Each structure stands twice: as C-alpha cells, then as structure tokens.
Amino acid sequence: MGIRVGCVGFDLDMTLIDPRPGMIAAMGQLAEESGYPLDGEYFAANLGPPLDHVLRGFETPEERIPELVTRFREIYPDVVVSRTVALPGAAESLEAVHGLGGTTLVVTGKYEPNAALHVKALAFDVDTLVGDLWATGKAAALTEHGAVAYVGDYTGDMEGARAAGAIALGVATGPCTREQLLAAGADVVLDSLAEFPDWLAASAGGARGPAR
C-alpha cells in the first residue's frame, strides 16, 4: 500500500531524541529535593507514560504529585536539554518528509514548552509541535493535522496512530520490542529512523516499505 506524502507525525523521546542521561539527572535531583525514592534509571529506561503516571509508579503520595510535576518541569531546561542528542536518522527523516513535499508534526507526551526547547536546540525542521498527549490521546492532534503516518517507539504511539487511522510505524529504539510494537498494532517496525527515509521513498512510490 502506497501513501501520499502529506503530514507525517513523529514522537519525540526515543524516536527523534535520546534524553536519557538528562532524565536520570533530573529525576535524581527531584528525588534529592523531595526525599522520595524516585528511580531515575528506571524512569529513563521506560520513557513513554506521562510524568504523573511515572510518579504514581514510585508510590509517591497523590497529593504531592502536582507540585513534583511542576518542579520537574522547572528543573528540566537546565538539566535535560543540554544532555540530549538526536537519534540516528532523526534530522534526515524530517528532511525526507519535506523533500517529498510533506509537512512534519511532532506529537509527544512531554510538556510542550520543554519539547520545544529540544526542537530548537537540535535545529529540527518541525512544522508543528503538540505536547501533553499520550497513547490514544495523540489521535486528536494526528487527526486535526491530517497525518498519514505516525512514527513512535512506544506501544501507546501505535495505539494513537491506529485511533487516528494513520499508518502506525514503530521504531525499535525505545523501551518496547519489535514484537510488542507489532502486537500494539504497528504496520511496520524499523530498527531506527536511519531506515525511515528509504521506507518513505518506497511507500511514496507505491510500496509498503520493509517487511515486518
């Protein structure tokens, strides 16, 4: 099945960027300040769910979660952004969409102002950024912008793509395995975004892209 290249959506963490060193440091600082046993290593190895969900997983008192989320967001710009790198093929994938006349959309569960800092710091050519959406909630932005495909590393990304009627394209650069992404509804799973430009060119030419 070929696609007409229009709007293509991308997740951010562990799809376009690797923020793990900074995430470990930021969660460590939050743990030190708050006195709660927040596991930065676990957090960074399982990026995907919203921060409030993560904090509940650490058995943080519910009444403290809003202030901890706010403080993490304050820590984030100085601690995380400078430690973050682009994943292989990220910039080239955005360029490939534009090269075929399409537009790029980043839809992320990350707090949007902090997501925008990454886009700026890494000089990503992104047409539209939407933050604070997770799993099937991402379908609202994908549908609004007419995304024909959505690329992500997490099972929730595949669920969001399918809910929007977009091609669900998994990349095995995050916490989820190829098998998990396929089970969540991925149409195609790539090893990384380094394979995306070729997949896109083949899909725009009438092929589905690499086999699962």
Side-chain angles (χ1 to χ4, degrees):
M1 184 178 88
I3 65 171
R4 178 182 61 82
V5 179
C7 176
V8 177
F10 295 86
D11 179 45
L12 190 60
D13 285 353
M14 300 312 300
T15 298
L16 289 168
I17 66 172
D18 183 353
R20 289 175 296 181
M23 292 294 209
I24 293 169
M27 190 62 78
Q29 181 173 331
L30 188 65
E32 184 177 352
E33 291 180 2
S34 67
Y36 293 118
L38 309 177
D39 189 338
E41 294 279 354
Y42 178 86
F43 172 49
N46 294 276
L47 295 174
L51 183 58
D52 60 336
H53 291 222
V54 173
L55 293 171
R56 289 187 183 96
F58 294 142
E59 299 184 357
T60 308
E62 184 68 26
E63 66 273 14
R64 294 293 309 279
I65 287 177
E67 66 185 86
L68 292 174
V69 169
T70 297
R71 180 57 185 147
F72 185 88
R73 290 173 174 177
E74 292 171 348
I75 293 169
Y76 195 101
D78 291 335
V79 176
V80 183
V81 176
S82 64
R83 291 176 167 90
T84 297
V85 297
L87 283 168
E92 293 83 356
S93 294
L94 297 169
E95 291 168 3
V97 175
H98 287 133
L100 289 173
T103 58
T104 56
L105 167 69
V106 170
V107 185
T108 175
K110 191 182 297 296
Y111 178 53
E112 189 171 309
N114 286 340
L117 294 177
H118 286 297
V119 171
K120 181 179 180 181
L122 294 169
F124 283 157
D125 194 359
V126 172
D127 295 301
T128 306
L129 169 66
V130 180
D132 304 289
L133 295 178
W134 183 56
T136 54
K138 293 186 175 186
L142 297 173
T143 301
E144 178 183 353
H145 294 280
V148 297
Y150 183 62
V151 189
D153 67 286
Y154 199 72
T155 52
D157 298 328
M158 304 302 98
E159 295 163 2
R162 295 191 70 82
I167 293 172
L169 186 61
V171 285
T173 45
C176 298
T177 65
R178 175 180 296 270
E179 291 72 25
Q180 288 172 325
L181 293 167
L182 289 170
D187 294 297
V188 177
V189 179
L190 306 177
D191 288 336
S192 75
L193 281 182
E195 298 177 1
F196 177 83
D198 286 344
W199 176 86
L200 184 66
S203 297
R208 182 63 168 181
R212 292 183 177 186

